[in-house]
Amino acid sequence: MNKITLMATAIGSVIVLVGCETGTTSGDTSPLTGAGSETFREKAESLVARMSAYEQMNMLVGPGYALQPDFSFGTNYEALTNVKNDIPGTVGYINGVYNESTGLDIAAVKLADGAAGVRIDPVRDGDSDTYYGTAFPVSTLLASTWNLDIQAAVGRAIGTEIKEYGLDFWLAPGLNIQRNPLNGRNFEYYSEDPLLSGMMAASAVNGAQSVGVGATVKHFVANNAETSRNFVNNIISPRALREIYMRGFEYAVAESNPWAVMTAMNQVNGHYSGQWRDLNTTVLRDEWGFDGLVMSDWWAGDGNYPEMIRSGNDLIESGGVALAYRYGEVDALQQLENAYESGELDEETIKSSAVRVLTQSLKTPSNQGYEFSSRPDLVAHAALSRTSASEGIILLKNDSDVLPIDRSSRIASFGINQVNTLKGGYGSGDVNAAYTVNILDGLAAQFTVDSELSALYQDHFSANKSETDFNGLSTIIECSEPPLTPLEIEDYVTGNDVAVISIGRYSMQGRDRANAEGDFLLSADESNLIEDVATAAHAQGKKVIVVLNVASIIEMESWQDNVDAIVLAYLPGQEAGNVIADVLSGEVNPSGKLTQSIPVAYADIPSASSFPGVDTDADGKVDTHYYNEGIYVGYRYYDTFDQPVSYPFGFGLSYTDFEYGSPLLVDNTLNSEGAQGKVSFSVDVTNIGGVAGKDIVQVYIAAPSGRLDKPAAELKAFAKTALLAPAEDQTLVFDVTAKWLSSFDPARNQWVVEPGLYRAYISKSSETDGVYPVTFSVTSEIVVDETTPGALSLPDTVGDFETVHND
Ligand code: BGC
């Protein structure tokens, strides 16, 4: 066992020994052994007691963005305190402490993006080795697996890469609600539903933290659009905030104890997220018991850093001089020092934040003396990227069982996206991966692909692609569709057995998508392509399969009847082409289900009229965003108001069929145990088809009508079967706690389960028509939790702006 003794030092006459145990060797992925969190806190307290207020404040402010030379923003390497083994591509740091006179020697901590893997610089000057991260499927695709173990495995693999590349914190997972499909960062998030989002995030955190690195759940809270992301003021009722936008965070805090929470850029109800005490202290710490550190998003807020610290946002990122580019010469550290000297920021507040930051810093590989290898097992992780992605792929349509296609099939592969295949989204969530298998190569590895048509696409791509750098974070590659006449298309269709059309859509940080052709809608070229291929194929009795390699959903109603099968692959990571071919060939029986509803038209979306906000001061910029649909986000809206959708939340087909036995109420302790009670159900699921497959069973509960407005039904539990062979069955059991059954009553500041008869639909999707419910009763009201009166309230100037009610 190694022991690092940071220092033996004298304070007065007391000798203080500081040490952290490590028991790891290079390449070992087990968690670093060491003290439990209480002991880390005690150590942090004793160390902070030996620091000056200035040393403490230096830990509360990052040294500035991207100290690497290829970024254009501020660089301030001198401000970075005590970094050991710096890693090119690190996007932020927590300063360490080095003081010869007190003997303190705490290493700076290195923070790494992004959601779908680890993003560091893959090549280094004068070094022939490479440092690629594995590009895993984006979070939406991982959530579409509804498989918590897979998400945990991916989290663990990412954590291992962070640790083996010498970093300490993962700046993910993001779990903002997919309120509107046009949010440019939806791919980094899981779902329109808070339960699914929270459970996925908790699994990701548990996976990553199991190897001894920190995870950071973000962006707290309501970062649901990229338009004016640095300042937009989101007006959200306390009930919608708690039930929809914060509930997943609450779950993740309770079930995975993340080392960090990252506050959002945006304002909520008139307060910057990172400067709102209601959020960062009253709710997050006092109500939920979070004891980790809270950091800001990079350059978030209006530059009032003392307010940030006082709100409970302990760490200002990226800190340093980089802030100048937005707020003039505001230097965060200087501002804190001034505030301290003037008494505006008191010693106790600084100390509390310093203890919280240091408690986590001490746990990190950098402070545990971990000898990283720079050699994570990228081969094993590529395999995990492939299997995890293929488990999330959603089969939306499969008329006459056109899929899977036989390996002997000759494929006419259309669409520029087959060569311009997207592994992930752009921005901080992008990963510098060693390669991306494009769809064409993936298909060619498992089928015979028309080589003349492939060559045509490859040549067109080489000659016409454009590459745009996005802030040094990503390279955006775009390319038009090659011009193909209907006659040429017919020829290719004639010469092959089946047509596959790949459609791609990227999206990115900092920009929302548009309800326009080429984005939420098909472009004219794509519409024509689908039309021409379908006409030619159907005239010859051949089938057309569309693959959607998209960052988020697109409109489908206008074209889906023209094609025979639709495969929603989202952004599947670096093995993209292999993943898609695995599903088309039947190597993998698809078992993904939608984590967001697909509306018939953009106008049907409950936030269609409010997204992405309004420009109230006529300066040409959106500044205020009214969440006027309240709790009616996604399926909660469509199901309650009988608004038809193209595909419902929770929907996905398989190459086999599953039959459910009669669901049973196993137990109901709600009446005897109140807030500690739960209700349990079970159902038998049998594979009644011809191939092995997995199914996802969902429990939607309809509450009786009571005092509070309620959606028709809400997802309260789910489970995924094992891979069931034909005729095999499995009994799934679901528990719904009183806490998850409850709704927030803003008038009484309580989470309550109202009395009456509840109906539980054990269902294949959120569409529960024809599903016979199991009922259970709650005899008297259960108060599950008390919350802080007045917390999270709307600004006084806002009246009743919620326009959607179910009463
Ligand atoms: C993003 C965060 C990210 C951070 C560091 C910000 O612009 O919003 O999600 O972790 O940059 O790259």
Side-chain angles (χ1 to χ4, degrees):
M1 186 177 73
N2 303 318
K3 190 163 185 107
I4 309 169
T5 301
L6 291 183
M7 209 64 224
T9 190
I11 301 177
S13 58
V14 185
I15 300 291
V16 183
L17 269 175
V18 183
C20 300
E21 296 167 341
T22 66
T24 53
T25 53
S26 177
D28 180 2
T29 57
S30 59
L32 292 158
T33 53
S37 107
E38 206 46 44
T39 314
F40 282 116
R41 177 166 291 269
E42 282 163 16
K43 278 184 182 160
E45 279 166 1
S46 70
L47 288 170
V48 165
R50 293 165 51 198
M51 291 178 198
S52 71
Y54 293 92
E55 281 174 320
Q56 293 172 30
M57 284 186 278
N58 193 49
M59 281 196 316
L60 309 187
V61 183
Y65 182 58
L67 306 173
Q68 320 300 337
D70 50 339
F71 284 92
S72 48
F73 305 124
T75 57
N76 192 15
Y77 210 80
E78 304 76 54
L80 172 56
T81 310
N82 207 18
V83 70
K84 322 248 184 194
N85 297 315
D86 197 15
I87 304 299
T90 302
V91 294
Y93 301 83
I94 304 174
N95 278 322
V97 183
Y98 186 78
N99 185 329
E100 274 178 21
S101 63
T102 58
L104 290 177
D105 181 2
I106 297 156
V109 165
K110 289 157 269 177
L111 316 176
D113 277 320
V118 183
R119 188 166 61 78
I120 54 171
D121 292 353
V123 290
R124 299 177 185 170
D125 288 346
D127 181 347
S128 57
D129 285 338
T130 54
Y131 302 85
Y132 289 105
T134 302
F136 287 95
V138 296
S139 297
T140 312
L141 187 56
L142 282 173
S144 305
T145 67
W146 298 63
N147 185 331
L148 300 172
D149 295 339
I150 281 198
Q151 169 63 92
V154 170
R156 186 176 169 90
I158 294 173
T160 304
E161 290 190 18
I162 288 182
K163 188 170 157 193
E164 290 310 323
Y165 278 139
L167 296 122
D168 301 296
F169 262 85
W170 182 35
L171 297 174
L175 66 148
N176 292 109
I177 292 293
Q178 293 172 337
R179 171 175 178 256
N180 186 296
L182 301 188
N183 175 17
R185 287 184 89 171
N186 268 352
F187 63 89
E188 291 187 57
Y189 306 140
Y190 293 112
S191 172
E192 68 189 25
D193 182 80
L195 173 69
L196 183 54
S197 301
M199 291 179 84
M200 282 289 158
S203 296
V205 171
N206 282 327
Q209 293 189 171
S210 71
V211 301
V213 300
T216 312
V217 295
K218 69 185 187 184
H219 307 88
F220 192 60
V221 67
N223 187 180
N224 312 103
E226 289 297 286
T227 303
S228 304
R229 74 177 190 136
N230 293 327
F231 55 86
V232 69
N233 183 15
N234 296 333
I235 305 297
I236 312 173
S237 70
R239 178 169 177 197
L241 260 178
R242 288 191 183 262
E243 281 191 19
I244 306 293
Y245 298 100
M246 298 172 74
R247 210 171 193 182
F249 284 94
E250 182 177 5
Y251 184 91
V253 163
E255 301 299 325
S256 63
N257 198 16
W259 290 11
V261 169
M262 186 192 292
T263 50
M265 298 260 190
N266 51 276
Q267 301 184 63
V268 180
N269 294 344
H271 308 263
Y272 279 95
S273 301
Q275 294 167 217
W276 199 11
R277 199 173 161 79
D278 279 17
L279 269 185
N280 304 321
T281 297
T282 310
V283 174
L284 181 61
R285 297 189 201 282
D286 299 346
E287 290 185 13
W288 300 352
F290 177 68
D291 67 355
L293 76 84
V294 178
M295 72 174 80
S296 73
D297 198 348
W298 273 226
W299 319 288
D302 64 1
N304 186 344
Y305 297 110
E307 184 174 82
M308 206 171 240
I309 300 296
R310 283 195 304 264
S311 86
N313 186 118
D314 309 303
L315 175 64
I316 296 161
E317 289 292 349
S318 65
V321 294
L323 295 154
Y325 96 103
R326 272 184 56 219
Y327 301 118
E329 290 306 312
V330 180
D331 177 323
L333 182 56
Q334 187 65 56
Q335 216 194 62
L336 292 195
E337 289 173 357
N338 294 347
Y340 167 65
E341 283 157 17
S342 70
E344 206 197 321
L345 192 58
D346 63 65
E347 218 159 278
E348 267 318 298
T349 306
I350 296 169
K351 201 187 233 174
S352 303
S353 283
V355 167
R356 290 194 288 253
V357 170
L358 189 58
T359 301
Q360 307 303 46
S361 288
L362 291 176
K363 297 175 187 170
T364 59
S366 284
N367 275 303
Q368 297 260 320
Y370 183 66
E371 288 169 29
F372 55 92
S373 65
S374 294
R375 289 290 160 266
D377 188 346
L378 297 182
V379 173
H381 292 178
L384 178 61
S385 179
R386 181 168 175 170
T387 50
S388 58
S390 62
E391 177 142 350
I393 301 253
I394 303 162
L395 181 62
L396 289 176
K397 176 171 183 173
N398 194 20
D399 283 1
S400 1
D401 292 339
V402 44
L403 287 172
I405 42 181
D406 201 84
R407 293 218 188 195
S408 62
S409 305
R410 287 165 303 153
I411 296 180
S413 180
F414 295 94
I416 196 66
N417 171 251
Q418 67 179 297
V419 280
N420 191 18
T421 301
L422 301 162
K423 71 176 191 316
Y426 297 135
S428 59
D430 203 352
V431 177
N432 296 318
Y435 62 85
T436 300
V437 178
N438 70 28
I439 295 175
L440 175 56
D441 290 344
L443 293 179
Q446 298 194 34
F447 303 95
T448 304
V449 178
D450 187 303
S451 54
E452 189 184 313
L453 184 58
S454 311
L456 184 148
Y457 274 98
Q458 280 163 324
D459 293 347
H460 179 82
F461 185 58
S462 305
N464 295 284
K465 69 175 171 188
S466 69
E467 297 194 1
T468 317
D469 171 66
F470 171 46
N471 285 348
L473 297 173
S474 300
T475 304
I476 299 172
I477 305 175
E478 292 173 294
C479 188
S480 59
E481 289 293 335
L484 277 170
T485 66
L487 261 178
E488 287 169 323
I489 287 175
E490 191 183 337
D491 274 353
Y492 288 117
V493 167
T494 306
N496 292 283
D497 302 317
V498 62
V500 173
I501 305 173
S502 302
I503 304 283
R505 285 290 181 280
Y506 70 80
S507 77
M508 60 202 276
Q509 177 177 313
R511 193 173 85 196
D512 286 319
R513 299 172 60 211
N515 175 28
E517 287 190 3
D519 203 338
F520 188 66
L521 308 173
L522 291 182
S523 68
D525 286 347
E526 290 164 340
S527 294
N528 292 338
L529 180 66
I530 291 177
E531 182 74 40
D532 292 344
V533 171
T535 305
H538 293 155
Q540 301 177 29
K542 292 177 180 168
K543 305 293 186 191
V544 181
I545 298 152
V546 169
V547 172
L548 297 173
N549 174 208
V550 292
S552 185
I553 55 166
I554 62 172
E555 184 275 334
M556 298 177 54
E557 200 67 17
S558 64
W559 56 270
Q560 59 173 341
D561 287 349
N562 272 343
V563 304
D564 304 284
I566 302 173
V567 173
L568 175 56
Y570 286 116
L571 307 174
Q574 67 186 38
E575 292 283 329
N578 289 332
V579 168
I580 288 162
D582 285 344
V583 168
L584 298 196
S585 68
E587 178 69 28
V588 171
N589 182 357
S591 64
K593 293 200 178 189
L594 285 171
T595 67
Q596 57 187 324
S597 316
I598 304 187
V600 171
Y602 182 74
D604 298 341
I605 300 165
S607 56
S609 59
S610 57
F611 185 94
V614 286
D615 173 9
T616 59
D617 57 8
D619 69 349
K621 291 181 196 141
V622 162
D623 52 58
T624 310
H625 196 162
Y626 293 93
Y627 284 34
N628 56 13
E629 76 284 9
I631 57 171
Y632 292 101
V633 175
Y635 72 88
R636 285 173 167 75
Y637 173 79
Y638 303 118
D639 292 352
T640 307
F641 299 98
D642 294 325
Q643 177 69 52
V645 291
S646 292
Y647 296 98
F649 175 86
F651 176 83
L653 299 171
S654 163
Y655 297 152
T656 188
D657 287 307
F658 298 95
E659 191 178 72
Y660 299 173
S662 299
L664 297 174
L665 176 69
V666 178
D667 200 9
N668 176 3
T669 61
L670 293 166
N671 298 314
S672 53
E673 291 178 27
Q676 307 311 319
K678 65 176 182 161
V679 57
S680 308
F681 313 95
S682 74
V683 71
D684 282 335
V685 182
T686 309
N687 181 350
I688 56 166
V691 289
K694 299 181 185 179
D695 191 25
I696 298 156
V697 184
Q698 303 148 48
V699 180
Y700 295 89
I701 296 191
S705 52
R707 274 182 309 109
L708 296 169
D709 191 21
K710 298 269 170 67
E714 297 179 278
L715 180 73
K716 297 293 180 185
F718 63 85
K720 189 162 195 172
T721 66
L723 186 71
L724 298 178
E728 196 179 350
D729 74 318
Q730 185 180 357
T731 303
L732 299 177
V733 179
F734 311 90
D735 287 338
V736 180
T737 60
K739 188 168 174 73
W740 267 97
L741 199 55
S742 65
S743 303
F744 183 68
D745 181 346
R748 291 176 13 189
N749 306 300
Q750 289 172 331
W751 287 93
V752 291
V753 178
E754 292 193 77
L757 188 70
Y758 284 74
R759 284 161 295 138
Y761 296 89
I762 316 290
S763 181
K764 295 186 177 208
S765 78
S766 64
E767 212 160 73
T768 53
D769 290 354
V771 178
Y772 195 73
V774 181
T775 57
F776 62 95
S777 287
V778 173
T779 47
S780 55
E781 183 185 81
I782 303 169
V783 176
V784 174
D785 254 329
E786 302 281 349
T787 68
T788 316
L792 307 171
S793 58
L794 290 161
D796 294 341
T797 47
V798 180
D800 181 14
F801 69 98
E802 282 188 352
T803 52
V804 181
H805 298 278
N806 179 25
D807 46 26

